[in-house]
Amino acid sequence: MLKITKKAISSFIAFILLFSIAMFKADLVFASSVIELPFDTQVSGNITDSDDEQIYQVTLNQAGRITVNLESYIDDVYLDLYDANGEKVWYTEHIYTGSPSNPKKWSGWEDLEAGTYYIKISKYSGDTGKYNLKVSYTAANNNEVEPNDGTEEAQQLTLNNQTVNGFISWNDDSDFYKIVLPKAGRIAVNLESYIDDVYLDLYDANGEKVWYTEHIYTGSPSNPKRWSGWEDLEAGTYYIKISKYSGDTGKYNLKVSYTAANNNEKEPNNGTEEAQLLTLNNQTVNGFISWNDDSDFYKIVLPKAGRITINLDSYIDDVYLDLYDANGENVWYTEHIYTGSPSNPKKWSGWEDLEAGTYYIKISKYSGDTGKYNLKVSYTAANNNEKEPNNGIEEAQQLTLNNQTVNGFISWNDDSDFYKIVLPKAGRITINLDSYIDDVYLDLYDANGEKVWYTEHIYTGSPSNPKKWSRWGDLKAGIYYIKISKYSGDTGKYSLSVQCPSLLPAPPTVNEVSNKSTTVIGKTIAYGAVSVKINSKVYTGKSDSKGSFSIKIPTQKAGTKLYITVKDKYGYTSKERVVVVVDRIPPAAPIVNSVTSKSKVITGKAEANSTVIAYVGSKKIGSAKADKYGKYTIKITPKKAGTSIKVIAVDGSGNKSAGKVVKVKK
């Protein structure tokens, strides 16, 4: 019953104190019984019926910890700690079970800011007696700059070089620190906490929490808790808040390190409208995904159809990559690229065959993962010469049989190509396909859309080793369509040609063409379009109703090749007839030096490389080949003076020069 009564009385007194607290400051300041108490000095006092309380004043020159030690010889006594405004630092301490023969030893501590405080020892019920009081003090030695109780008063930290020694106390329950990032980068917040429990928050300039509140506990004055956390952030101002958890107070050390991301992406690039344009093949962009920038967009423009290869080096644990077309349609399912780290980036590559146009790459945050990445896009043009659009029978590109090879391209956004062939008469066609695609379909349809063949599935092609496929069929005269189409998701290049030799006109027959000719004469099909190609020039004409043709040309050097073809009324061109210009111009008569009756040789000059022959009458007396300068020497037996010798030159085509006659001199 005694304890219940004491508690009831204690509650009543606490209630009374709520009403008297406004007057307490004046009582403390003006009471004649206030005793200034030096630290580490024990004083003794008495609670009596006539003197039921005693107030002691302690002054802290700087923030620190005080320890109040009471040795009470009183059965029950109250102890209160107030600040200078009369606000209770503690709930009233009820210290009991002391006696004259066995004093109650009680101790309590508190972390406080610099200032004046009051300790009040007062009577509980009717209990009186003696007590000893001693207050110890340890300075916190904090170097934080107060006040720093909010973002407006936040103390600015120097990144990397400054460690601040802070202090959370009964009357200073939170400290704010300001950090300014000149560029995007990673900060590391390091806290050494001597407090049992403390909160740490990180905010952006708008007051939005970057982290969920960090609850850092199990620190103590003898064994501080060491905690570290990092975050990737954009350039800007941020605030760190260290705040009290429950009633826990004490010292802490805070340091913030910073490493610039050194990203060269152009912000803002947070959507397709702001997407950064990438230069294909030559540009590597260094990007950065952070807490406050969770996606980056890049624009690529393909001038022609071709293959792009996207290479990503990701220093992020997990990140997403998307590829979109200009309409916002996903080219790929989202790529989830993971297991990257700052020390061991994930190297990822993916390719796609695409038509000419604009595309967008999106790098975006997965969960809360952030960090750096390097992005490069390579491009190789398909160099296809098909005529788009050719996506159906109505748009089918017409192929010229026998003479045309089309280079086509199946891509993500062009999954089929149609080609039209026209047979003016029945014949055998052969379709040849060189496929650089892993798997592709080929279909042949008639003019009514009926399949001529079952679908051909042509596979095992690759960019380095194309699949060579061929099939023939005997077809009636008419119109047909070839369809090349995508199998599954496979794309790439192909080459297509169609042969029908029976449709080709025979090569023209051509009369001899010499280095004296000014026309090419021959026979071919009636009303054919005849072409004569000489080096890079082409001379044309038409055959008459009987197939005869005559086409004017400039005279040509002997040995020149002429390529003659004919195209019929259906547009089919024959194979080439190759004609070599023959030499029909005789060499000039040789020059012959003087010959005497003692001469054993005949010398002179003739056409270079010609054969020079000497005659006496109809009898050949010797011959020799002129060198590249035209000089010759013919060995002979000496002839009588007055003998006539005729010398001629014969070129490589057998053309003979006029003779040169010389008489043998004495």
Side-chain angles (χ1 to χ4, degrees):
M1 286 298 293
L2 180 59
K3 286 187 178 180
I4 294 172
T5 302
K6 286 182 177 180
K7 286 182 179 178
I9 294 170
S10 177
S11 298
F12 175 74
I13 292 171
F15 178 75
I16 294 299
L17 283 172
L18 290 173
F19 291 95
S20 61
I21 195 68
M23 300 299 296
F24 187 72
K25 178 181 177 183
D27 290 344
L28 287 173
V29 173
F30 299 109
S32 61
S33 59
V34 173
I35 300 171
E36 188 167 343
L37 181 61
F39 292 117
D40 298 316
T41 300
Q42 181 172 296
V43 297
S44 298
N46 284 282
I47 296 297
T48 65
D49 289 334
S50 60
D51 190 6
D52 58 3
E53 66 179 35
Q54 182 61 59
I55 297 172
Y56 298 90
Q57 176 182 308
V58 292
T59 302
L60 278 63
N61 294 323
Q62 55 181 295
R65 175 168 291 183
I66 66 165
T67 303
V68 179
N69 295 285
L70 185 74
E71 191 176 47
S72 172
Y73 295 82
I74 307 168
D75 185 31
D76 277 284
V77 71
Y78 283 139
L79 186 148
D80 288 284
L81 178 63
Y82 298 91
D83 67 8
N85 297 315
E87 186 176 349
K88 276 195 178 184
V89 177
W90 298 329
Y91 290 108
T92 299
E93 293 289 342
H94 184 193
I95 303 163
Y96 49 89
T97 70
S99 71
S101 60
N102 187 22
K104 174 72 175 183
K105 294 182 185 295
W106 178 92
S107 182
W109 59 265
E110 190 64 64
D111 290 317
L112 299 169
E113 295 303 298
T116 300
Y117 298 87
Y118 299 92
I119 299 167
K120 177 183 175 184
I121 310 297
S122 58
K123 184 190 291 185
Y124 171 79
S125 185
D127 296 319
T128 59
K130 178 185 170 184
Y131 63 86
N132 297 325
L133 176 66
K134 182 180 179 181
V135 180
S136 301
Y137 161 71
T138 305
N141 294 321
N142 53 319
N143 60 6
E144 57 177 311
V145 179
E146 291 284 359
N148 62 348
D149 301 326
T151 54
E152 293 299 317
E153 302 170 315
Q155 177 182 348
Q156 185 163 346
L157 291 187
T158 303
L159 299 171
N160 296 315
N161 297 321
Q162 182 180 5
T163 298
V164 68
N165 304 317
F167 190 56
I168 294 295
S169 65
W170 172 82
N171 41 353
D172 183 22
D173 57 6
S174 62
D175 296 328
F176 282 78
Y177 298 95
K178 178 180 179 180
I179 55 174
V180 179
L181 276 58
K183 296 180 180 179
R186 175 167 290 183
I187 65 164
V189 179
N190 296 286
L191 187 75
E192 195 173 46
S193 171
Y194 296 81
I195 307 169
D196 186 35
D197 278 282
V198 73
Y199 285 139
L200 186 147
D201 288 284
L202 179 62
Y203 299 92
D204 68 8
N206 299 316
E208 186 176 350
K209 277 194 179 184
V210 178
W211 296 331
Y212 292 109
T213 299
E214 293 288 343
H215 185 192
I216 303 163
Y217 47 89
T218 70
S220 72
S222 59
N223 188 25
K225 174 71 175 183
R226 287 175 171 79
W227 178 92
S228 182
W230 60 265
E231 191 64 64
D232 291 316
L233 299 169
E234 296 303 298
T237 299
Y238 299 87
Y239 297 94
I240 297 169
K241 178 185 178 184
I242 309 295
S243 57
K244 188 186 293 184
Y245 171 79
S246 185
D248 296 319
T249 58
K251 296 190 296 181
Y252 62 86
N253 299 327
L254 175 68
K255 183 178 181 181
V256 181
S257 300
Y258 160 73
T259 305
N262 294 321
N263 52 320
N264 60 8
E265 57 176 312
K266 293 179 182 176
E267 291 286 358
N269 61 348
N270 302 322
T272 54
E273 292 299 316
E274 303 171 315
Q276 178 180 348
L277 181 61
L278 287 189
T279 303
L280 300 171
N281 296 315
N282 296 322
Q283 182 180 5
T284 297
V285 68
N286 304 317
F288 189 56
I289 294 295
S290 65
W291 172 81
N292 39 354
D293 183 23
D294 56 8
S295 61
D296 296 328
F297 282 77
Y298 299 94
K299 179 180 179 180
I300 55 174
V301 179
L302 276 59
K304 296 180 180 179
R307 175 167 291 184
I308 65 164
T309 301
I310 299 176
N311 295 289
L312 186 78
D313 289 352
S314 171
Y315 297 80
I316 306 170
D317 186 33
D318 279 280
V319 73
Y320 284 140
L321 186 148
D322 287 280
L323 178 63
Y324 300 94
D325 67 9
N327 298 316
E329 186 176 350
N330 259 88
V331 177
W332 297 331
Y333 292 108
T334 299
E335 292 288 342
H336 184 192
I337 302 164
Y338 47 89
T339 70
S341 72
S343 59
N344 188 26
K346 174 72 174 183
K347 294 184 180 294
W348 179 91
S349 182
W351 60 265
E352 192 62 64
D353 292 317
L354 299 170
E355 296 303 299
T358 300
Y359 299 87
Y360 297 94
I361 298 168
K362 178 186 178 185
I363 309 295
S364 57
K365 188 186 292 184
Y366 171 80
S367 185
D369 296 319
T370 58
K372 297 189 294 183
Y373 62 87
N374 300 328
L375 175 68
K376 183 178 181 181
V377 181
S378 301
Y379 160 72
T380 306
N383 295 321
N384 53 320
N385 59 8
E386 57 175 313
K387 293 179 182 177
E388 291 285 358
N390 61 348
N391 302 322
I393 287 174
E394 294 299 318
E395 301 171 316
Q397 177 181 348
Q398 185 162 345
L399 286 187
T400 303
L401 298 175
N402 299 304
N403 294 325
Q404 184 180 5
T405 297
V406 68
N407 300 316
F409 190 56
I410 295 294
S411 65
W412 172 82
N413 39 354
D414 183 24
D415 56 8
S416 61
D417 296 328
F418 282 78
Y419 299 94
K420 179 181 180 179
I421 56 175
V422 179
L423 270 63
K425 60 181 181 179
R428 174 169 292 180
I429 69 163
T430 301
I431 300 176
N432 299 295
L433 187 77
D434 289 353
S435 171
Y436 297 80
I437 306 170
D438 187 34
D439 279 280
V440 72
Y441 285 139
L442 186 147
D443 288 285
L444 179 63
Y445 299 92
D446 65 17
N448 298 316
E450 294 289 328
K451 278 192 179 184
V452 178
W453 298 332
Y454 289 109
T455 299
E456 292 286 344
H457 185 192
I458 302 163
Y459 48 90
T460 70
S462 72
S464 59
N465 188 25
K467 174 72 175 182
K468 295 184 179 293
W469 177 91
S470 182
R471 181 173 174 179
W472 61 266
D474 293 318
L475 301 176
K476 297 177 182 179
I479 295 174
Y480 296 87
Y481 298 94
I482 297 169
K483 178 185 178 185
I484 309 294
S485 58
K486 188 186 292 183
Y487 171 80
S488 185
D490 296 319
T491 57
K493 297 189 294 183
Y494 62 86
S495 297
L496 175 69
S497 65
V498 182
Q499 306 297 320
C500 186
S502 63
L503 295 181
L504 295 178
T509 58
V510 182
N511 298 345
E512 179 184 272
V513 180
S514 75
N515 54 356
K516 296 168 69 175
S517 299
T518 57
T519 57
V520 176
I521 298 170
K523 293 267 299 183
T524 185
I525 59 173
Y527 306 113
V530 181
S531 296
V532 179
K533 183 179 178 183
I534 306 173
N535 296 320
S536 60
K537 293 188 176 180
V538 178
Y539 306 89
T540 61
K542 270 200 171 265
S543 63
D544 61 19
S545 60
K546 294 182 179 179
S548 298
F549 64 87
S550 177
I551 299 172
K552 290 183 179 181
I553 63 168
T555 55
Q556 302 294 319
K557 290 181 180 179
T560 301
K561 289 184 178 181
L562 280 57
Y563 300 88
I564 302 101
T565 59
V566 64
K567 183 189 287 186
D568 65 17
K569 63 182 179 180
Y570 302 112
Y572 297 112
T573 302
S574 71
K575 291 184 177 180
E576 294 174 331
R577 174 77 68 189
V578 182
V579 174
V580 179
V581 176
V582 297
D583 187 357
R584 289 292 178 259
I585 299 176
I591 296 171
V592 183
N593 296 330
S594 178
V595 180
T596 69
S597 58
K598 294 181 180 180
S599 297
K600 294 183 179 180
V601 293
I602 301 172
T603 62
K605 288 194 75 173
E607 184 177 288
N609 301 313
S610 63
T611 300
V612 185
I613 306 170
Y615 293 92
V616 174
S618 61
K619 183 180 179 182
K620 178 179 176 182
I621 63 171
S623 66
K625 189 166 184 178
D627 64 17
K628 63 181 179 179
Y629 302 109
K631 293 180 180 181
Y632 66 86
T633 300
I634 302 171
K635 292 180 180 180
I636 61 170
T637 56
K639 304 299 178 187
K640 290 180 181 181
T643 303
S644 294
I645 300 174
K646 183 173 78 171
V647 182
I648 65 169
V650 182
D651 65 19
S653 298
N655 299 309
K656 294 179 181 180
S657 72
K660 176 68 175 178
V661 178
V662 294
K663 284 194 176 183
V664 178
K665 296 178 181 180
K666 287 185 180 179

